[in-house]
């Protein structure tokens, strides 16, 4: 699987670029790119959202604008069918986008409520959950924004370390 780490924030990209060399086995898995994540051609983009599926702030607002309000409606319908009627941090769901270049969105909440501050462990857990869904679906290329760094206000260095750790811990590595 290929993980594209894409953000418009140069500080987020630098943080990933500084952390990645410390995880040599991810150097062929992760690629850092600049720009608008919705301009990529990937099987899925990851939404850091919240447990209720509200997609109105940060990168989620961009996803809603590009994919249309139906993506939030489909996500919320799936969440409404879950026990407790929310998607806990550490779990993820894939939702079709209807978009030709990015057919799926993986919602992996980094926070329970919108506008809550994030910490590194929920970002790691959300990244792992997104990776698990991508692996289950058989996706070959997915894209992550800086998880928890917008509305969640997690410092980019903490986010980069948590995300890279989450990607590493979710992959089925051969015994070394």
């Amino acid at each position: 699987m290929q993980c594209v780490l894409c953000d418009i924030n140069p500080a987020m990209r630098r943080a990933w670029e500084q952390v990645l060399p410390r995880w040599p086995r991810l150097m062929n898995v992760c690629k850092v790119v600049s720009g608008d994540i919705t301009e990529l051609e990937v099987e899925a983009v990851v939404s850091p959202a919240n447990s209720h599926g509200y997609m109105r702030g940060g990168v989620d607002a961009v996803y809603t604008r590009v994919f249309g309000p139906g993506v939030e409606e489909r996500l919320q319908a799936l969440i409404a069918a879950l026990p407790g009627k929310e998607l806990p941090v550490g779990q993820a769901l894939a939702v079709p986008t209807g978009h030709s270049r990015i057919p799926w969105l993986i919602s992996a909440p980094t926070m329970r409520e919108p506008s809550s501050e994030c910490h590194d462990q929920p970002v790691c857990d959300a990244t792992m959950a997104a990776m698990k869904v991508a692996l289950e679906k058989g996706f070959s290329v997915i894209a992550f924004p800086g998880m928890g760094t917008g509305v969640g206000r997690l410092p980019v260095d903490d986010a980069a370390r948590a995300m890279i750790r989450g990607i590493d811990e979710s992959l089925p590595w051969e015994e070394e």
Side-chain angles (χ1 to χ4, degrees), residues 33-158:
V33 301
S34 173
D36 180 345
I37 196 168
T38 64
E39 294 294 320
L40 299 174
E41 190 162 336
V42 295
E43 287 166 282
V45 291
V46 178
S47 161
N50 54 73
S51 293
H52 305 287
Y54 298 122
M55 297 182 61
R56 300 183 191 137
V59 72
D60 290 310
V62 174
Y63 292 155
T64 300
R65 187 187 77 243
V66 171
F67 303 139
V71 73
E72 180 184 52
E73 293 164 6
R74 287 187 293 279
L75 174 60
Q76 289 179 344
L78 287 174
I79 290 172
L82 294 174
K85 302 198 181 318
E86 65 181 57
L87 180 61
V89 173
Q91 293 185 22
L93 291 171
V95 181
T97 64
H99 193 272
S100 62
R101 276 184 291 104
I102 305 169
W104 293 91
L105 176 132
I106 300 172
S107 180
T110 57
M111 61 183 73
R112 183 171 179 267
E113 298 292 334
S115 301
S116 302
E117 283 192 32
C118 281
H119 301 283
D120 61 342
Q121 191 59 52
V123 167
C124 180
D125 294 344
T127 302
M128 289 174 59
M131 290 291 293
K132 180 180 177 187
V133 166
L135 290 166
E136 288 170 358
K137 291 274 189 193
F139 296 155
S140 56
V141 183
I142 67 169
F144 284 91
M147 302 280 280
T149 60
V151 173
R153 299 184 294 278
L154 183 65
V156 295
D157 294 328
D158 295 342

